[in-house]
Amino acid sequence: MAPPTAIVVHAVTDTTAITLPDPLTVNDVSIRRAKAGKFIGGVAAFTMSDFFKDHERPSSLKETASILSKNPGVISLGGGLPSSDYFPIERLAIKVPTVPYFSEEETRESGKTLEIGKHDVSEGIGAYDLSIALNYGQGTGSAQMLRFVTEHTEIVHNPPYRDWQCCLTAGNTSSLDMALRMFASRGDYILSEEYMFCSALETARPMGVKIVGIKMDAEGLLPEHMDDVLSKWNPQTRGGAKKPRLLYTVPTGQNPTGATQSAERRRKLYQVCQKHDVYILEDEPYYFLQMQPYRSPPSTEPMSHAAFLKSLVPSLLSMDVDGRVMRLDSFSKIVAPGTRTGWVTASAQIIERYVRHNETSVQNPSGVSQLILYKLLDVEWGHGGFLDWLMYLRTEYTRRRDIILNACERELTGDGLERVVRWIVPRAGMFLWLKLNWKAHSLASSSIENTSRNDTKRIKREIEDVLFEAFISTGVLLVKGRWFLAEQKNEAVNGVVNGLNGAKSEDNEEEEDEEMFFRATFAAAQEEPMKEGIRRVGEALRVQFKL
């Protein structure tokens, strides 16, 4: 379906202009911390992002520390916190890379072993230890990690208003779950890309939240189509549902399509949200996996931190003059998914409500995960070392992306395959979105133009199923594109098919267009298996399309 014609959107804001301080830099962090004084963050220490930002008022942490220092004999008989005497873990040791020697081989040879004891804080050898991490925590997450992510957010995004805050999370799926509970009610529609992350879809559906799929191109979601949908919204044709007020989007390296919104696309999207008063959930697990241009010559000069940050597409958070963006960040794709740790950034009013949700659900991320991340990112690497690590990841994912694209150019061309399969070079993320010309398959009727819509959809599904099985028979797994379709007719929850990243049951009735896609990933397979996998895709296509 072709997108609607371009429109002109006039943005309206009620935000009063203020003078913001210069953006925080990596070098500024140590100066700010020195001015703040000794860090104090004990068991379940009350904390918030404002403690770690630059304000024209005394530090709340310093005030709290002053009170405690003047009352050393205070005995707490209040909170029901268990004694660390009965935590049966005395010490942990983790071996981590030293900057800039990040590879597995270099880590084995020159990595550093970090020791974490139960009572490092009371012994004066650290600011975070097992006695704190293994105990209960606050809904904000630990003060130690909240300080780090708040500083990181200011360095990278520098939100253009003062009362923004961060809160630690148990990862982005949990963040989305709580955000939907805060912003949507059963029967509501929310907006998203027409192809969307399956787990996000499966998070919304049990709540009775429905999705309106917005058309996409190579840069992702089309603001013009979104504006058209909202401008023409008719509750009578949507079961009485009110006009959507919430957008869920993955702007960078979108899963499954790999699309990345340009800066101009994001600005236009934000303007449409201003026009229709839509709140934005900016889900960005792949933000730092933005890659160098395909086939560009490798740079021999090391990139500075400032140059790296400037090379990234500006986030919606960095454009958010209204406080209408909640950004979802995660360590899952840039450190390890098993940490189950991330953070959200939004206005103070939103974060206060989010913290209340945390307190009655997941409470906070695993204390052990937070402690390990703190020792790695804050103590060992610092913000500069973390940016060095992110630049290393960028190089590695660029290399992986180029491997699979080179294999596609070699194995999925010739013998007429050019009219069967196409792809767009991903600029970020982990995914390659393959578009197949299913109408060239022998099962497609020569008079398909004259068949009904239902027959066309049935034929397309049959061919998609045949191709899926053909890939498996050839020894390679790709994921069906229709499993990611946002709009559903059947509201029943049918669970996961074969554990394929939240793939949907075949019983669902999707609002399909006439295009067919399969998703491949270049995130995990090693170079030779990746090349062989694409060769097998080409082999299966040649057989199926009789080339």
Side-chain angles (χ1 to χ4, degrees):
M1 174 181 175
T5 57
I7 58 166
V8 177
V9 176
H10 300 285
V12 178
T13 177
D14 60 359
T15 301
T16 302
I18 60 172
T19 301
L20 292 170
D22 292 334
L24 184 69
T25 67
V26 170
N27 293 333
D28 292 335
V29 170
S30 58
I31 299 172
R32 179 183 292 182
R33 290 188 179 187
K35 289 171 60 179
K38 181 180 179 181
F39 180 87
I40 298 176
V43 175
F46 175 76
T47 189
M48 61 194 303
S49 287
D50 279 350
F51 294 171
F52 313 116
K53 290 158 63 178
D54 193 16
H55 290 277
E56 297 177 0
R57 61 174 178 79
S59 165
S60 298
L61 274 185
K62 290 182 69 176
E63 293 175 351
T64 304
S66 174
I67 293 172
L68 292 173
S69 66
K70 293 176 182 177
N71 298 273
V74 171
I75 298 172
S76 174
L77 299 179
L81 302 173
S83 170
S84 63
D85 293 351
Y86 309 115
F87 298 164
I89 303 173
E90 186 66 25
R91 184 166 297 274
L92 293 178
I94 56 173
K95 189 173 184 180
V96 302
T98 56
V99 179
Y101 307 107
F102 293 122
S103 71
E104 277 195 336
E105 182 179 350
E106 289 171 322
T107 302
R108 283 192 293 267
E109 295 178 354
S110 62
K112 182 177 180 180
T113 299
L114 307 179
E115 297 279 343
I116 308 170
K118 185 188 283 189
H119 301 294
D120 289 352
V121 174
S122 61
E123 293 171 3
I125 56 176
Y128 198 16
D129 60 21
L130 287 166
S131 72
I132 298 172
L134 294 175
N135 219 315
Y136 286 111
Q138 292 282 350
T140 53
S142 70
Q144 293 83 349
M145 274 305 297
L146 185 63
R147 176 176 68 170
F148 185 86
V149 300
T150 298
E151 293 166 345
H152 172 81
T153 298
E154 191 169 354
I155 291 169
V156 177
H157 306 289
N158 194 29
Y161 60 96
R162 282 196 180 276
D163 68 332
W164 62 271
Q165 292 191 14
C166 298
C167 175
L168 289 169
T169 72
N172 282 14
T173 300
S174 174
S175 302
L176 176 61
D177 176 87
M178 279 189 271
L180 290 177
R181 295 178 191 277
M182 290 167 58
F183 290 109
S185 300
R186 183 169 293 276
D188 283 354
Y189 279 88
I190 68 171
L191 306 158
S192 189
E193 290 89 350
E194 62 178 327
Y195 292 93
M196 66 182 294
F197 177 41
C198 285
S199 289
L201 180 62
E202 297 296 340
T203 298
R205 290 173 63 211
M207 299 182 194
V209 176
K210 305 172 186 178
I211 313 294
V212 178
I214 302 300
K215 295 297 181 182
M216 306 173 68
D217 64 8
E219 287 191 11
L221 187 150
L222 288 164
E224 296 87 358
H225 183 239
M226 180 171 148
D227 181 78
D228 190 59
V229 167
L230 292 171
S231 297
K232 297 177 180 177
W233 188 266
N234 183 354
Q236 293 182 345
T237 63
R238 296 281 186 171
K242 60 187 178 183
K243 183 176 171 180
R245 297 296 185 186
L246 187 67
L247 167 67
Y248 170 78
T249 182
V250 182
T252 309
Q254 198 256 358
N255 184 0
T257 67
T260 295
Q261 297 172 16
S262 66
E264 181 60 24
R265 175 66 58 89
R266 295 178 200 220
R267 281 188 282 269
K268 289 181 179 178
L269 177 60
Y270 190 86
Q271 289 172 348
V272 172
C273 290
Q274 287 181 308
K275 176 182 177 182
H276 295 280
D277 196 17
V278 172
Y279 193 83
I280 304 169
L281 301 179
E282 180 186 21
D283 189 357
E284 281 285 38
Y286 311 104
Y287 184 73
F288 289 106
L289 303 186
Q290 297 183 42
M291 303 166 197
Q292 294 147 327
Y294 183 47
R295 295 193 182 283
S296 64
S299 174
T300 57
E301 295 294 326
M303 180 178 284
S304 69
H305 297 150
F308 170 64
L309 293 175
K310 187 176 181 180
S311 73
L312 301 174
V313 181
S315 65
L316 288 165
L317 178 65
S318 72
M319 306 174 183
D320 184 21
V321 295
D322 298 344
R324 67 173 63 251
V325 173
M326 174 188 278
R327 181 179 170 89
L328 284 58
D329 276 290
S330 174
F331 290 112
S332 292
K333 305 302 189 295
I334 56 177
V335 177
T339 62
R340 301 317 308 142
T341 304
W343 70 99
V344 294
T345 307
S347 65
Q349 304 97 313
I350 300 298
I351 293 299
E352 189 275 333
R353 291 290 86 193
Y354 190 91
V355 171
R356 300 290 86 80
H357 277 265
N358 252 359
E359 289 171 346
T360 57
S361 57
V362 298
Q363 296 192 12
N364 48 255
S366 160
V368 173
S369 290
Q370 292 185 75
L371 178 56
I372 290 174
L373 287 168
Y374 168 76
K375 294 291 284 188
L376 171 66
L377 301 178
D378 196 309
V379 176
E380 179 59 24
W381 286 355
H383 287 286
F386 185 39
L387 292 180
D388 289 335
W389 166 255
L390 295 174
M391 287 189 280
Y392 168 77
L393 286 183
R394 178 186 200 175
T395 300
E396 286 297 297
Y397 275 91
T398 298
R399 180 182 64 84
R400 285 179 162 275
R401 187 273 316 268
D402 291 353
I403 289 171
I404 200 169
L405 289 178
N406 290 337
C408 287
E409 291 179 353
R410 183 174 59 254
E411 304 292 348
L412 303 184
T413 57
D415 302 325
L417 272 177
E418 294 87 349
R419 62 185 181 85
V420 170
V421 57
R422 292 187 292 161
W423 58 90
I424 295 174
V425 173
R427 295 169 51 200
M430 299 178 167
F431 305 109
L432 180 64
W433 195 231
L434 299 174
K435 181 178 179 180
L436 299 185
N437 179 16
W438 62 274
K439 293 181 181 179
H441 195 277
S442 60
L443 291 178
S445 169
S446 58
S447 59
I448 197 169
E449 293 80 4
N450 300 320
T451 61
S452 68
R453 175 176 173 80
N454 286 338
D455 284 342
T456 300
K457 182 162 62 175
R458 176 184 55 78
I459 293 169
K460 176 192 167 187
R461 283 195 171 201
E462 288 178 359
I463 295 172
E464 186 181 41
D465 292 340
V466 168
L467 292 175
F468 180 73
E469 294 297 333
F471 293 141
I472 293 176
S473 298
T474 312
V476 62
L477 178 64
L478 300 179
V479 182
K480 298 177 186 178
R482 82 165 181 261
W483 284 344
F484 301 94
L485 278 164
E487 295 202 20
Q488 303 289 317
K489 286 183 178 178
N490 184 351
E491 299 298 326
V493 178
N494 294 296
V496 176
V497 175
N498 298 327
L500 289 174
N501 196 19
K504 297 184 286 297
S505 165
E506 297 297 329
D507 295 333
N508 292 324
E509 293 288 335
E510 294 90 355
E511 288 288 353
E512 299 181 41
D513 58 25
E514 292 191 358
E515 295 180 330
M516 180 185 294
F517 298 95
F518 280 84
R519 191 196 74 175
T521 178
F522 47 87
Q526 297 300 315
E527 179 172 354
E528 291 308 316
M530 200 186 309
K531 292 177 180 177
E532 175 60 18
I534 295 300
R535 189 200 66 78
R536 294 176 184 182
V537 170
E539 177 183 332
L541 291 177
R542 284 181 173 87
V543 171
Q544 285 296 313
F545 287 88
K546 304 184 185 306
L547 300 175

